Amino acid sequence: MTGPYDRAIVPPDRPSDPRGTGAVLKGRERAVQVPASFDYRRATSVAEALELLRRYGEEARVVAGGHSLLPMMKLRLAGPELLVDINDLHELDHIEQAGDELRIGALTRHRTLLESPLVGRCFPIVHDAEKVIADPPVRNRGTIGGSLCQADPSEDLSAVCGALHARVVIRGEGGERVVPMADFHQGPYETAVGVGEMLVQVRIPVLPGAGSAYEKVERKSGDWAVAAAGVALTLREGRIADAGVGLAAVGAGALNLDAVQELLNGREPSEALYEEAGRLASAHCSPVTDGRGSAEYKRHLAGELTRRALRRSVARARTAQGTTGEA
Amino acid sequence: MRITVNVNGEDRTREVEPRHLLVRFLRDDLELTGTHWGCDTSNCGTCVVLMDGEPVKSCTVLAVMAAGHEIRTVEDLADGDRLDPVQQGFIEQHGLQCGFCTPGMMLTGRALLDRNPDPSDQEIREAISGQLCRCTGYLNIVRSIQWAAREQAAVAAPEAPATATATGGRA
């Protein structure tokens, strides 16, 4: 190792405090948060990225926005030998309607999602969530693919994509496979993406007369959720259909709450139904006590936020059916 | 790795390790210490610089990822002795006390006004919501950016009354 960080904070061939600030230097040990050494390659094509991922196997990670991965590398929670930078793969940065689904490239940034009228019209839940995901500078860098691949049970877009019954496209040497969101996360920080593969697209069904909403409680602007709930549904002859309910920050495995979805499908919207759905959601999650709140409080939130998201989803679905789309 | 980053309009080439963070590249290698280095966890936002015109937290961008891109730092805001309206606004409206968050706040203000020359109070607050200030309670920062917006509008339309020097703004 020969890098400056292995010896001192400042390279030894440089004066130790060029501006005389004394803030960092003077031989004082300061816990500089710098990742361990790794190799870096900027991919110029998806094929090249896949080839690198195949060659380095488990030791390679894809980096796009880097706002989840780099902090983990600083904390030594991740230590890849190779970072494959996909920021130049503009083909993965797209939002397009194809038949009855919206296709979103993995490299699409949070900001692009938030500023897309098409996304807002089809899936108001995405705009609800994007407004409260981190903050504007982070949203300028972070991507939908990175968010989903992080597989953090507290991450918002995963719950959103779960509620929307999204499917993700994983590309590898042998071609592409399409995986439902419910099967994509295989546990905290584990996804269905295998060695030599990468997520390239998210596909979300566009349903007529749909309504959706995301409700999040956070400690401060831009923070991770204390708890959050996403709901998507359609109304057919006054009854709920295609219900999707996904929770964030209340334990893994809550991206699709089957029990709540089954309860809702075929039923007429009512406060009593929302009450029952909230109770079920609250029962079917596994929050833990931490600095953001007690397990009991989070369980309460899971129920209440599910009720609120249901109310707004139904209202939006009615508006969508009454007019031609705007919620 | 040998990288070339366009910083403040000038191509700067250096040999760096891939793990070198953009904030360290700017401060240590280029000696552009106007970009501050705070929490190092992409929370505080004092390290905000503009990357291709938009605010990013430079503690969470690798220098190698910035290669081939345009970075703008606080050192580039003033044109010689002429301050950017955002900088002047921070003076007029007391937008700083300790000054630690100020470079990032001013760059975010600049980027906001470039896209939206007449932002609402709420839009300004949203734009700076990823950056912490422990002195001002944000009120004067919002006023500073509003001052800059009025100043720019007044300069762009000189026949209009010079409201830019009026005191304060609603915030």
Side-chain angles (χ1 to χ4, degrees):
Chain A
M1 299 283 194
T2 54
Y5 299 117
D6 299 307
R7 294 193 294 262
I9 290 161
V10 173
D13 57 344
R14 294 259 323 279
S16 68
D17 191 5
R19 295 292 161 100
T21 61
V24 184
L25 316 168
K26 308 265 185 185
R28 240 178 75 223
E29 288 287 322
R30 174 176 162 166
V32 182
Q33 290 201 41
V34 177
S37 290
F38 55 85
D39 288 329
Y40 168 90
R41 292 285 295 275
R42 199 184 282 195
T44 54
S45 68
V46 175
E48 188 194 358
L50 291 175
E51 165 58 26
L52 287 166
L53 292 171
R54 196 157 51 239
R55 201 176 335 140
Y56 281 76
E58 301 275 3
E59 306 306 329
R61 289 289 295 266
V62 169
V63 66
H67 277 61
S68 297
L69 182 56
L70 293 178
M72 286 182 72
M73 290 168 64
K74 288 178 177 181
L75 294 169
R76 303 300 190 272
L77 297 173
E81 287 178 9
L82 174 73
L83 280 192
V84 180
D85 183 344
I86 62 165
N87 280 289
D88 286 352
L89 306 184
H90 303 295
E91 63 192 282
L92 299 183
D93 182 2
H94 59 259
I95 300 173
E96 59 200 25
Q97 194 149 10
D100 57 0
E101 64 185 9
L102 202 69
R103 298 183 169 184
I104 300 172
L107 192 60
T108 306
R109 304 203 189 262
H110 292 295
R111 184 208 186 123
T112 311
L113 289 171
L114 185 52
E115 292 182 350
S116 162
L118 178 62
V119 168
R121 197 162 56 242
C122 296
F123 313 116
I125 183 176
V126 176
H127 278 193
D128 288 350
E130 284 294 357
K131 284 175 194 157
V132 291
I133 290 176
D135 54 58
V138 172
R139 293 199 293 263
N140 281 339
R141 296 292 295 163
T143 64
I144 185 171
S147 296
L148 300 191
C149 286
Q150 182 68 11
D152 186 323
S154 297
E155 195 278 316
D156 299 290
L157 279 189
S158 301
V160 166
C161 288
L164 287 168
H165 297 306
R167 299 179 305 154
V168 299
V169 182
I170 300 170
R171 195 180 295 172
E173 192 180 16
E176 292 186 343
R177 58 200 177 98
V178 181
V179 177
M181 201 55 215
D183 299 332
F184 181 61
H185 285 184
Q186 303 192 330
Y189 311 103
E190 277 181 46
T191 71
V193 178
V195 168
E197 292 185 321
M198 62 187 276
L199 177 70
V200 293
Q201 197 179 61
V202 181
R203 297 180 177 174
I204 310 177
V206 179
L207 303 171
S212 60
Y214 194 68
E215 294 279 350
K216 173 176 174 177
V217 167
E218 51 192 356
R219 292 179 306 178
K220 67 175 181 69
S221 168
D223 195 13
W224 295 92
V226 177
V231 168
L233 48 77
T234 58
L235 290 179
R236 287 201 205 116
E237 291 163 7
R239 291 175 184 275
I240 293 174
D242 309 306
V245 178
L247 306 180
V250 288
L255 303 188
N256 263 141
L257 293 184
D258 290 330
V260 187
Q261 293 168 182
E262 282 162 23
L263 166 79
L264 294 168
N265 282 330
R267 300 281 292 274
E268 280 183 27
S270 71
E271 276 301 318
L273 181 65
Y274 305 157
E275 192 60 40
E276 204 181 335
R279 210 162 34 236
L280 261 185
S282 177
H284 281 79
C285 63
S286 48
V288 294
T289 298
D290 62 15
R292 289 188 172 76
S294 67
E296 189 189 3
Y297 174 52
K298 293 178 185 183
R299 205 178 278 285
H300 162 77
L301 281 180
E304 177 57 27
L305 297 179
T306 298
R307 285 190 283 275
R308 290 182 197 172
L310 265 170
R311 251 178 240 130
R312 278 173 72 204
S313 297
V314 168
R316 282 170 168 172
R318 286 181 174 144
T319 309
Q321 294 184 339
T323 66
T324 44
E326 215 60 41
Chain B
M1 281 185 75
R2 196 169 182 77
I3 60 166
T4 298
V5 185
N6 186 290
V7 179
N8 298 335
E10 198 183 323
D11 278 346
R12 309 293 295 267
T13 301
R14 290 289 187 282
E15 192 72 35
V16 300
E17 279 191 85
R19 59 176 167 163
H20 202 40
L21 300 167
L22 178 58
V23 64
R24 311 303 310 172
F25 176 75
L26 295 170
R27 288 180 56 87
D28 296 350
D29 297 348
L30 304 186
E31 298 190 12
L32 294 171
T33 52
T35 301
H36 289 166
W37 176 46
C39 71
D40 218 347
T41 58
S42 64
N43 278 290
C44 78
T46 196
C47 65
V48 162
V49 299
L50 303 187
M51 185 166 176
D52 301 328
E54 297 301 340
V56 300
K57 295 182 172 178
S58 61
C59 74
T60 311
V61 176
L62 299 170
V64 288
M65 294 173 85
H69 292 271
E70 290 179 4
I71 300 297
R72 194 174 182 207
T73 69
V74 68
E75 285 87 350
D76 192 48
L77 272 182
D79 180 9
D81 286 340
R82 219 179 69 229
L83 294 180
D84 187 282
V86 172
Q87 292 173 303
Q88 193 62 41
F90 272 70
I91 296 173
E92 302 290 337
Q93 298 297 321
H94 310 287
L96 64 142
Q97 287 180 38
C98 84
F100 194 67
C101 72
T102 312
M105 289 289 185
M106 293 196 302
L107 286 165
T108 297
R110 182 69 266 150
L112 174 65
L113 295 183
D114 285 346
R115 285 167 62 93
N116 177 0
D118 186 24
S120 67
D121 181 286
Q122 188 52 43
E123 285 167 332
I124 295 172
R125 287 178 182 274
E126 171 62 23
I128 62 170
S129 64
Q131 291 155 266
L132 297 179
C133 171
R134 298 291 81 175
C135 299
T136 65
Y138 304 99
L139 185 59
N140 286 358
I141 293 176
V142 174
R143 286 177 176 159
S144 301
I145 297 172
Q146 285 171 332
W147 188 96
R150 286 195 302 273
E151 170 73 9
Q152 285 184 185
V155 168
E159 71 279 7
T163 53
T165 49
T167 55
R170 8 160 235 107

